[in-house]
Amino acid sequence: MPSKRGTSKSKDDFDDASSPTKRPRTDDSSNNDTEQYPAPLSSQIQSPLKHNVNPAGRPAECGIIRKIYVEEFMCHKKLSVRLCDNVNFIHGQNGSGKSAILAALQICLGAGAKRTNRARNLKDLVRREGGATQAKVRVTLLNRGPDAYQHNVYGDTITIERTITLGNSGGGYKLYDENMNPQSDKKKDLLDMLDQLNIQVENPVAVLDQEEAKKFLTGKPEDKYLFFTKATDLERLDRRYADTVDNINELHDSLERMARTIEPLEQNVSNLKKEYEDFKILEKLEVKESEANVKYAWSFYTQCLTELEQEKKVVETQQAKVASYKEKIEQAENESDNSQVQKDLEEKLATLTAEAEEASRHQARLREEYKSAIGPKKALEHKLKMKKNEVNQSKKDLVFATKELQNKRDEIVQKKGSADSEEASRQARAKEAENKIEEAKSFIEEARKGTEESLQKYEEGKSTEEALGNNVRSIQSQCNAVKSKIQELQRSQGNSLAIFGPKCEAMNKAVIQAQNQGKFRDAVIGPIGKYMKIVTGKEHYAALAEKALQLNLDRYIVTNSHDRQVYLKLREQVGCGFRDCGVYQMSKVARYNIRQPPEGVDVVSSVITSSEDVVFNCMVDNGRCDQKAVCESWDVSQSQLLEEHSSGKVAIRGNNIKSVYYLPSGDFWQVFNGEMSVTSAEKAVLKGASIGMDKSRAIKEAESEYAQLKQEIDSQTIRLNEVKKERQGQKVKWNDWKKKLAVAQAQINKYTEDIERIREESENAENITFDTSDLEDEVNKAQEQYDRLKAQLEEMSKSIEELNPDIEKIQSEIEEVTSRNEKIAKELRDCEEKLGSQMQLQQQRERNLQKKKDKLQQAEDALQKQQEVVESKENKTQDTLRKARIMTLRVQKGEENRKRRDEYDEGKGEELDLINEDDFNDEELESIEPVILRKAPEYYAGKIRQLQKAIERERKSRRMTESNPEVALEKYLRAKKALDTKLYQIEEIEKNKNLLIADVRDRKEKWKKFRGFIKQLTNHNFDEFLNKKGSSGQIKFDDKNKTLDVIVQKDNRDKHSQTADVKALSGGERSFTTLALLLALGESLETPFRVMDEFDVFLDPVARRIALNTMIEVAKEFEHRQFIFITPQDLSNIKTDPKLMIHQLKPPKRQDVVGRNVQQTID
């Protein structure tokens, strides 16, 4: 879309020009268009110039301001001003923030801080009150009509936002569309938009702030002239034309430099032409050299062909050696096959290992039974010990009571009474003591009962505490196992083989590599777990069936002895342990047809299967998958498979099934000689199946199980701590009761002593006797207590004796199983030693075999290298043949080119059409028959050197630099073409320079006419504006000295009131004159809005009224443009209407600090 900048005429019609070698001057005296006007009497002026009044109803122009918003900017915390499309007055007291609105407009539309004359940098514009760290200004422009900027992107309005941050040196720009969606943050887009809408915030007539107004009022004539040229864009056009003249000067300098390069080019063309003519003299020697090169190539081809035949004979010898080594290796492999012995030992080792594991499990069960049986005995022995202590204490009490009775009787016999009063007193004291003793005895009975109960609960809690501790440790062990399982599953994610064994991944890579190298004769299958799968619908039996199968899932299967030896060697290389990645050697036969189990019964083969026949046969041979049943529970297994005979013996239903495994723990039972044998699983919980495992699901299940176990541990630990705390409480109670019992017994002893002392006193009295019935009762009670406790002691001893036979039986079984375990362990070690010896022997045989294979490999490597040599020789021979043919063909084409050049030089051809000597196809090469030469290549190489020396001597004598005639001719033609091109370029640049000079001169003349038009229009408008006050005036332009003077006639009817000294005018007259000049300049400016700040500060009331009316009248004539006037003066006499709006700012809030005003909002 074309730009609106400038006047209604195109500015390209008013460019200026000067001579092409001198920078243009607009004040050239020979072209001075300064005009002298008669005295400015407006009554006599009849100017044809009219105001460019637009027709009524023209819509608002693109670029007018709809809204200005500021936040934390200068004195404003927040301020929003919505403007009308035509005339706007912003009114308020000094310090209310009027000029801050103008500064915000300038800053938001790309001006710098200094242009506002309010701050040195942007950070100084941020409001300091309230701790603000950034300011934000936002201006919304109308974007409607034919001149709209990217209307499809922004819509009817464009909002420009600039953010000023204290911590940042510059301000960021953002451009929003009509819906406030950000569209750009680039300043280039802002500048393009301002140019499109012809918004000129740097133009002092478009945006006139207080400082620019003061400069214009008080400025010199030179400053006013500069103001005039900037306001009318004449200065910018002048600079552009000056830059164009500088470009013309640069073109002129470039032409001179190019002209200086012509002479060397002409000299070079002359030299190259002479060199080409001299080159023909060497042509005969070069032809001989080319022929010698061709012969050299054919002799070299003959030599390569002879060497190739010799190398082929060496290959035949090496092939015979390889065949001999292979025959020896085959004989050694047939002699070293001892796999059956090793297989028998491995099977025996597996059997012994299973027996050892079963014996270990049996021993663990017996230990648990012994532990369960010895518990009650220990509890009884502890109670027996406590009961013995009670019996001893009861016996002591009996002896003491008997002794006391006897002492009392002795005292009665010895002592006599006293006076009646003393006896009554003694009787009362004795009665009180007896009552105290009875109370103490009653408490002792209660204390003894409490002591027994506390001790019993303490002892009972001990077994509970031990059971809970064992339970916590057992669950913790399961928890650790589940945690290890989770870690193993997580490590094996992404590695589908690691679940079968730690060495599976490395072993699999080694096997695949060996297969690719052809080391195996037949397929090697493994790990076998990879080829097994769980039958659909049998997933709940997966872990049980895998346990029953008892196969190492990391093993591999081979079908011959050779592959077995290769595999065992690979195991050593990978670093497998004795139990890692073993090997089964199976015969390659059809899939076994196994016997089906009874109806409704599942066996391992109906849960786990394999599509590979050899893997399934391995499951049958080594895992007995068809002889092991799996069931839901112990009861189900008995109901489905247990048969009882009338003889009392039992059997397994279905003759083929040998063992029955059942959930949930993986226990199994077998029948031997008509009796059932049950084997418990080593662990209480089955681990997850490895076959067909979904690792993600298995990890989730294991994590859930781990969480449940942790919760169970926490629960059991809390219960254990509660039991410990309860036992400790019972122990404290027991000690308390013992202390209370001791205190009560001490009281009884004390009161007994008191009674004895009273009785002694009574016995000493005359005619007084004492009653010993209480002591006799004590003795009787002590005797009864002693007899009762002794009976209980005998009963407890008898119960302990009854437990001893069962415990001794379990101990005997433990000793028997331990002896059996030692025997199995010894057999297991012997078998492992034999297997190790067998493997060492086998490895020795394999090493000997490997040596032979190494020799075979060396021979094969030597054969391969020799074959590579032969292949290389063949390639070299073919390459030599091709080169010889190419050289022969190139010589032939060279001869044809010489003929054509000779014909061209003789003038027989209009154009030199040479054959490309390097352009040939395979058909042309095949047409050249091979040539066999007897002489060696060195002979022809010597001839070539002699010819080259002769050519070099000839070239030096003629001072030639090129060795190829075509290249010399090409250089000559290329240099001539370059010379012609350079001459043509100089001619074209000269034409363009002359056209550009003429165009600049023409534009200069148009620019001067345009300047005259602008001056005339401005002068006329200036006088018309002064007429509104009854004055007239004239603007005097001096383009040579670049000055602008104003001549004012105060009374347009009185010539004597005319003055050329503006200072002679009053302040109001001077201000009105300046305002009239600014309005006159603005008539030629097509910017969508104009802003004038405090334009009326020095006007008297009459002049101000006239000025306001004039500005409003002019503004309303341009109803499609916007005018913003900022003034602190009274506007009460101005009436608002839809085209005119007055924005009243609130008075500033005065603070304690001078000059720190705050403005919040607007009316």
Side-chain angles (χ1 to χ4, degrees):
M1 184 176 292
S3 173
K4 288 175 21 177
R5 184 178 294 277
T7 62
S8 58
K9 292 188 178 182
S10 173
K11 290 188 177 178
D12 292 340
D13 297 333
F14 301 102
D15 291 346
D16 89 318
S18 182
S19 67
T21 58
K22 184 184 289 186
R23 186 174 182 84
R25 290 173 53 87
T26 60
D27 58 348
D28 190 350
S29 58
S30 60
N31 293 306
N32 189 7
D33 60 348
T34 302
E35 300 179 21
Q36 301 297 329
Y37 291 94
L41 299 176
S42 48
S43 60
Q44 300 175 3
I45 295 175
Q46 298 295 329
S47 174
L49 299 174
K50 302 289 185 182
H51 283 305
N52 186 17
V53 178
N54 291 271
R58 179 173 176 181
E61 191 169 294
C62 280
I64 69 169
I65 303 169
R66 282 291 176 85
K67 183 180 178 182
I68 301 174
Y69 171 80
V70 298
E71 182 178 328
E72 302 293 352
F73 183 79
M74 294 181 68
C75 64
H76 295 289
K77 180 174 180 62
K78 275 190 180 180
L79 176 67
S80 178
V81 182
R82 188 173 295 276
L83 303 175
C84 76
D85 293 346
N86 193 202
V87 184
N88 294 271
F89 283 91
I90 298 177
H91 174 257
Q93 298 179 13
N94 290 332
S96 59
K98 305 184 300 302
S99 298
I101 298 174
L102 174 58
L105 176 64
Q106 292 174 301
I107 290 297
C108 193
L109 296 183
K114 293 182 179 180
R115 178 67 181 84
T116 66
N117 297 304
R118 295 287 177 171
R120 291 175 298 176
N121 52 59
L122 291 175
K123 292 186 286 186
D124 293 339
L125 297 174
V126 179
R127 181 173 173 269
R128 298 301 182 182
E129 289 75 10
T133 59
Q134 71 173 18
K136 188 176 291 184
V137 292
R138 193 180 298 142
V139 175
T140 302
L141 303 177
L142 183 66
N143 189 44
R144 204 163 45 208
D147 293 330
Y149 176 72
Q150 296 184 11
H151 188 271
N152 59 329
V153 176
Y154 292 95
D156 289 344
T157 61
I158 300 176
T159 299
I160 304 97
E161 180 182 272
R162 188 172 188 182
T163 303
I164 305 170
T165 306
L166 290 180
N168 194 357
S169 59
Y173 292 95
K174 282 189 179 179
L175 273 66
Y176 297 88
D177 61 15
E178 61 181 354
N179 297 318
M180 288 306 292
N181 296 320
Q183 297 295 337
S184 176
D185 58 359
K186 299 177 181 178
K187 188 172 182 180
K188 179 182 179 299
D189 293 338
L190 172 65
L191 297 177
D192 290 344
M193 184 270 294
L194 295 176
D195 185 68
Q196 173 72 22
L197 303 181
N198 197 26
I199 295 174
Q200 306 175 35
V201 292
E202 300 286 349
N203 192 321
V205 174
V207 178
L208 181 69
D209 56 25
Q210 294 178 17
E211 293 300 323
E212 289 292 339
K214 290 177 183 177
K215 289 180 183 178
F216 189 73
L217 286 172
T218 60
K220 300 177 182 179
E222 292 83 357
D223 297 331
K224 289 184 174 63
Y225 187 89
L226 179 60
F227 187 94
F228 162 72
T229 56
K230 287 177 65 176
T232 57
D233 231 14
L234 291 170
E235 181 192 30
R236 184 180 65 84
L237 291 174
D238 190 28
R239 288 199 307 270
R240 286 180 58 185
Y241 299 153
D243 292 339
T244 305
V245 173
D246 289 341
N247 293 335
I248 293 173
N249 293 335
E250 290 179 3
L251 284 176
H252 182 75
D253 295 339
S254 298
L255 284 172
E256 290 181 348
R257 288 193 298 270
M258 293 176 69
R260 288 194 292 269
T261 63
I262 294 299
E263 185 177 353
L265 291 175
E266 292 175 341
Q267 183 63 38
N268 184 42
V269 170
S270 176
N271 294 337
L272 289 174
K273 183 177 181 182
K274 182 179 180 301
E275 184 174 356
Y276 171 66
E277 292 174 350
D278 292 341
F279 197 92
K280 293 181 179 179
I281 301 174
L282 298 175
E283 198 166 24
K284 292 182 180 180
L285 290 174
E286 289 175 346
V287 169
K288 290 183 179 181
E289 181 192 6
S290 299
E291 293 174 350
N293 282 325
V294 170
K295 290 182 178 179
Y296 172 79
W298 286 116
S299 65
F300 193 73
Y301 164 72
T302 303
Q303 183 180 356
C304 290
L305 196 62
T306 303
E307 292 175 355
L308 176 61
E309 295 298 329
Q310 294 174 353
E311 297 296 340
K312 285 184 177 179
K313 292 180 180 178
V314 176
V315 168
E316 293 174 358
T317 303
Q318 293 289 346
Q319 288 174 341
K321 283 186 180 180
V322 169
S324 174
Y325 283 131
K326 285 184 178 179
E327 184 178 355
K328 292 179 181 179
I329 288 172
E330 187 175 358
Q331 292 176 358
E333 285 178 346
N334 294 332
E335 294 173 357
S336 63
D337 187 7
N338 196 21
S339 59
Q340 187 59 41
V341 176
Q342 184 172 338
K343 182 178 180 181
D344 294 341
L345 287 173
E346 287 178 352
E347 291 178 353
K348 183 178 180 182
L349 181 63
T351 302
L352 290 173
T353 301
E355 291 179 1
E357 292 176 353
E358 173 58 28
S360 176
R361 288 194 293 270
H362 190 194
Q363 186 180 28
R365 288 195 302 273
L366 289 175
R367 291 185 187 278
E368 289 295 327
E369 292 176 4
Y370 176 76
K371 186 176 180 181
S372 300
I374 201 68
K377 180 180 177 183
K378 288 183 178 180
L380 287 173
E381 288 176 345
H382 183 74
K383 290 182 178 180
L384 180 64
K385 183 178 179 181
M386 298 296 297
K387 191 60 71 176
K388 285 180 179 179
N389 293 335
E390 292 180 7
V391 169
N392 293 333
Q393 184 64 36
S394 178
K395 186 176 181 181
K396 290 179 182 179
D397 294 342
L398 178 62
V399 172
F400 178 77
T402 304
K403 185 177 179 181
E404 288 292 319
L405 178 61
Q406 186 61 40
N407 290 338
K408 183 57 64 178
R409 288 174 178 173
D410 293 342
E411 289 178 1
I412 292 172
V413 174
Q414 295 175 1
K415 294 182 179 181
K416 293 181 178 180
S418 62
D420 292 338
S421 60
E422 292 179 353
E423 179 64 23
S425 175
R426 284 194 296 271
Q427 289 294 333
R429 284 190 286 117
K431 185 64 176 176
E432 182 180 1
E434 287 174 354
N435 292 335
K436 294 288 185 181
I437 289 174
E438 287 299 325
E439 292 177 1
K441 285 182 177 180
S442 176
F443 179 80
I444 285 175
E445 188 65 26
E446 181 183 356
R448 284 177 178 172
K449 185 177 179 181
T451 303
E452 290 176 358
E453 289 178 355
S454 300
L455 182 61
Q456 182 179 1
K457 290 181 179 179
Y458 179 79
E459 292 298 329
E460 289 175 354
K462 182 178 180 182
S463 60
T464 304
E465 181 180 345
E466 291 177 350
L468 286 171
N470 293 334
N471 197 16
V472 169
R473 287 189 290 274
S474 175
I475 297 174
Q476 184 63 50
S477 176
Q478 295 180 33
C479 191
N480 294 336
V482 173
K483 186 177 181 180
S484 301
K485 178 182 177 182
I486 292 172
Q487 293 173 348
E488 180 180 354
L489 288 171
Q490 290 174 341
R491 285 195 300 269
S492 65
Q493 275 192 321
N495 180 1
S496 59
L497 301 181
I499 192 65
F500 303 120
K503 294 291 185 180
C504 278
E505 185 67 20
M507 194 67 203
N508 189 57
K509 290 180 180 178
V511 168
I512 292 174
Q513 184 178 1
Q515 286 176 333
N516 294 336
Q517 295 174 353
K519 293 183 179 180
F520 290 112
R521 294 181 179 177
D522 204 346
V524 177
I525 299 175
I528 58 176
K530 177 182 175 183
Y531 296 90
M532 297 179 184
K533 65 178 182 179
I534 304 299
V535 177
T536 303
K538 307 293 184 180
E539 291 80 2
H540 59 291
Y541 284 136
L544 181 63
E546 184 176 326
K547 177 184 175 74
L549 189 60
Q550 294 182 346
L551 286 180
N552 293 329
L553 301 180
D554 62 344
R555 289 202 172 196
Y556 282 69
I557 298 176
V558 298
T559 58
N560 57 74
S561 300
H562 171 269
D563 290 352
R564 180 186 181 88
Q565 301 307 319
V566 173
Y567 180 83
L568 292 175
K569 184 177 179 181
L570 291 178
R571 285 182 75 246
E572 290 183 8
Q573 295 175 356
V574 172
C576 294
F578 179 73
R579 298 182 183 277
D580 294 330
C581 297
V583 60
Y584 293 116
Q585 182 172 338
M586 300 290 298
S587 300
K588 199 171 183 180
V589 297
R591 190 184 189 93
Y592 293 160
N593 186 16
I594 60 175
R595 184 184 301 178
Q596 296 299 317
E599 184 178 357
V601 176
D602 286 314
V603 293
V604 173
S605 60
S606 62
V607 176
I608 302 175
T609 186
S610 175
S611 58
E612 291 286 340
D613 293 347
V614 68
V615 175
F616 182 80
N617 294 345
C618 179
M619 290 168 57
V620 174
D621 289 345
N622 298 286
R624 303 292 186 262
C625 63
D626 58 332
Q627 299 178 9
K628 297 176 181 179
V630 291
C631 297
E632 292 282 353
S633 63
W634 161 260
D635 294 335
V636 173
S637 68
Q638 286 190 320
S639 64
Q640 287 185 342
L641 294 167
L642 185 64
E643 292 181 346
E644 295 185 4
H645 300 295
S646 58
S647 62
K649 294 187 176 182
V650 296
I652 299 177
R653 187 162 63 92
N655 295 330
N656 192 47
I657 296 178
K658 305 299 181 186
S659 55
V660 181
Y661 290 76
Y662 56 90
L663 295 172
S665 302
D667 302 337
F668 68 94
W669 56 270
Q670 299 170 302
V671 174
F672 297 103
N673 298 324
E675 302 216 355
M676 177 190 290
S677 171
V678 180
T679 303
S680 299
E682 185 176 357
K683 295 183 179 179
V685 180
L686 279 173
K687 69 175 184 178
S690 302
I691 300 171
M693 175 184 289
D694 182 354
K695 292 186 181 178
S696 299
R697 180 179 177 185
I699 289 174
K700 289 182 179 178
E701 293 177 351
E703 289 175 345
S704 175
E705 181 183 359
Y706 181 77
Q708 293 176 359
L709 290 173
K710 289 291 288 183
Q711 186 176 1
E712 183 66 19
I713 288 174
D714 295 339
S715 174
Q716 293 292 331
T717 303
I718 292 172
R719 176 61 183 149
L720 178 61
N721 293 333
E722 290 176 351
V723 170
K724 287 182 178 180
K725 185 176 180 180
E726 184 178 353
R727 286 193 69 213
Q728 185 65 26
Q730 294 298 332
K731 185 176 181 181
V732 171
K733 286 183 179 180
W734 181 59
N735 289 331
D736 291 339
W737 281 118
K738 285 180 66 178
K739 290 178 182 179
K740 292 177 181 179
L741 188 63
V743 170
Q745 188 64 47
Q747 289 178 349
I748 291 174
N749 294 337
K750 176 180 177 298
Y751 291 125
T752 302
E753 290 174 359
D754 292 340
I755 292 172
E756 292 296 327
R757 189 169 56 254
I758 293 171
R759 288 180 178 177
E760 287 176 0
E761 292 175 359
S762 297
E763 288 174 357
N764 292 333
E766 294 180 356
N767 301 322
I768 299 298
T769 60
F770 294 91
D771 186 10
T772 60
S773 60
D774 291 336
L775 291 176
E776 289 173 355
D777 291 342
E778 289 291 333
V779 170
N780 292 333
K781 289 180 180 180
Q783 184 65 47
E784 290 175 0
Q785 178 72 8
Y786 175 72
D787 293 340
R788 182 174 60 80
L789 291 175
K790 192 171 181 180
Q792 290 177 355
L793 184 64
E794 291 175 355
E795 185 179 352
M796 294 175 102
S797 299
K798 184 177 179 182
S799 299
I800 291 172
E801 291 297 327
E802 290 176 353
L803 293 174
N804 284 336
D806 293 337
I807 294 173
E808 290 173 357
K809 180 180 178 182
I810 294 173
Q811 287 178 332
S812 175
E813 290 181 0
I814 291 174
E815 292 174 358
E816 181 181 351
V817 171
T818 302
S819 174
R820 181 184 172 194
N821 284 352
E822 292 175 353
K823 181 180 179 182
I824 293 174
K826 184 177 181 303
E827 292 179 359
L828 187 63
R829 287 193 298 271
D830 293 342
C831 184
E832 287 178 346
E833 290 177 359
K834 289 180 181 179
L835 182 60
S837 300
Q838 184 64 30
M839 291 183 70
Q840 289 179 357
L841 179 61
Q842 185 66 21
Q843 289 172 359
Q844 181 62 36
R845 291 174 178 172
E846 290 173 358
R847 282 193 290 271
N848 294 335
L849 179 61
Q850 187 60 39
K851 290 180 180 178
K852 292 182 176 61
K853 291 181 178 180
D854 292 341
K855 289 182 179 179
L856 172 61
Q857 186 64 41
Q858 292 174 0
E860 289 177 343
D861 292 344
L863 175 59
Q864 184 177 358
K865 289 181 180 179
Q866 187 60 33
Q867 289 174 340
E868 291 174 355
V869 170
V870 170
E871 184 179 358
S872 175
K873 289 288 185 182
E874 287 177 345
N875 293 335
K876 184 177 179 181
T877 302
Q878 291 298 322
D879 185 54
T880 305
L881 174 61
R882 179 178 176 81
K883 288 181 180 179
R885 284 173 168 171
I886 289 172
M887 293 179 69
T888 303
L889 191 59
R890 188 177 286 129
V891 168
Q892 293 176 358
K893 290 188 176 184
E895 180 64 28
E896 178 64 25
N897 281 337
R898 281 192 293 275
K899 291 180 180 179
R900 295 189 180 188
R901 279 199 300 272
D902 292 341
E903 292 176 356
Y904 180 75
D905 290 342
E906 293 172 0
K908 295 181 179 180
E910 296 181 356
E911 185 178 353
L912 180 59
D913 183 16
L914 298 178
I915 302 173
N916 188 353
E917 298 179 10
D918 295 324
D919 184 16
F920 40 80
N921 53 42
D922 293 339
E923 185 178 350
E924 290 177 333
L925 292 176
E926 292 295 331
S927 64
I928 305 297
E929 292 294 332
V931 178
I932 304 298
L933 299 177
R934 296 182 179 179
K935 294 183 180 180
E938 290 77 9
Y939 170 77
Y940 298 104
K943 278 194 169 186
I944 292 171
R945 286 194 293 271
Q946 292 175 1
L947 290 169
Q948 287 176 346
K949 289 179 180 179
I951 291 171
E952 188 63 27
R953 285 195 300 269
E954 192 67 26
R955 181 176 281 108
K956 286 182 179 180
S957 65
R958 298 179 181 276
R959 297 180 181 179
M960 298 176 65
T961 59
E962 189 51 64
S963 59
N964 192 324
E966 287 80 7
V967 175
L969 179 59
E970 182 182 355
K971 281 185 176 182
Y972 163 66
L973 296 175
R974 189 167 58 244
K976 189 174 184 304
K977 183 178 180 181
L979 176 61
D980 295 339
T981 301
K982 185 69 72 173
L983 291 172
Y984 176 77
Q985 289 176 351
I986 291 174
E987 183 180 355
E988 290 298 315
I989 292 174
E990 185 69 31
K991 288 180 182 179
N992 291 334
K993 184 191 75 169
N994 294 333
L995 291 173
L996 191 57
I997 291 171
D999 184 64
V1000 169
R1001 287 174 177 169
D1002 180 61
R1003 289 175 182 268
K1004 175 68 175 181
E1005 292 299 323
K1006 291 180 180 179
W1007 178 84
K1008 290 178 180 179
K1009 292 178 182 179
F1010 174 67
R1011 183 177 62 184
F1013 173 78
I1014 292 295
K1015 289 191 293 185
Q1016 188 178 3
L1017 178 62
T1018 302
N1019 219 330
H1020 174 75
N1021 291 333
F1022 175 65
D1023 183 58
E1024 280 197 357
F1025 289 133
L1026 286 179
N1027 287 341
K1028 295 180 183 293
K1029 194 186 174 202
S1031 303
S1032 62
Q1034 171 190 342
I1035 304 172
K1036 184 179 180 181
F1037 296 95
D1038 186 348
D1039 296 320
K1040 180 177 181 180
N1041 297 316
K1042 294 186 178 180
T1043 60
L1044 184 151
D1045 290 303
V1046 178
I1047 301 173
V1048 179
Q1049 185 173 309
K1050 296 181 182 181
D1051 186 351
N1052 55 10
R1053 294 170 295 179
D1054 184 5
K1055 296 182 179 180
H1056 299 289
S1057 62
Q1058 177 177 317
T1059 178
D1061 186 5
V1062 181
K1063 294 180 180 179
L1065 301 174
S1066 65
E1069 291 172 341
R1070 188 163 56 247
S1071 297
F1072 186 84
T1073 302
T1074 302
L1075 182 60
L1077 180 57
L1078 290 174
L1079 290 175
L1081 288 173
E1083 289 289 305
S1084 60
L1085 187 65
E1086 288 193 357
T1087 184
F1089 63 82
R1090 290 178 61 189
V1091 184
M1092 299 178 69
D1093 185 13
E1094 298 197 4
F1095 58 91
D1096 56 351
V1097 290
F1098 299 116
L1099 294 176
D1100 57 77
V1102 176
R1104 182 171 176 275
R1105 178 177 55 80
I1106 296 173
L1108 287 176
N1109 293 334
T1110 302
M1111 288 189 300
I1112 293 172
E1113 179 184 350
V1114 172
K1116 287 188 174 182
E1117 289 176 353
F1118 291 90
E1119 61 180 347
H1120 62 290
R1121 295 187 185 163
Q1122 189 178 50
F1123 294 83
I1124 303 172
F1125 303 112
I1126 302 174
T1127 177
Q1129 303 299 327
D1130 179 38
L1131 300 175
S1132 58
N1133 60 339
I1134 297 178
K1135 294 182 179 181
T1136 60
D1137 56 43
K1139 293 184 180 181
L1140 189 148
M1141 182 180 291
I1142 299 176
H1143 306 273
Q1144 178 68 43
L1145 295 180
K1146 284 185 176 181
K1149 295 179 180 179
R1150 305 295 177 180
Q1151 298 183 348
D1152 294 337
V1153 181
V1154 178
R1156 300 297 294 277
N1157 300 326
V1158 178
Q1159 183 63 34
Q1160 299 288 339
T1161 184
I1162 190 170
D1163 287 339

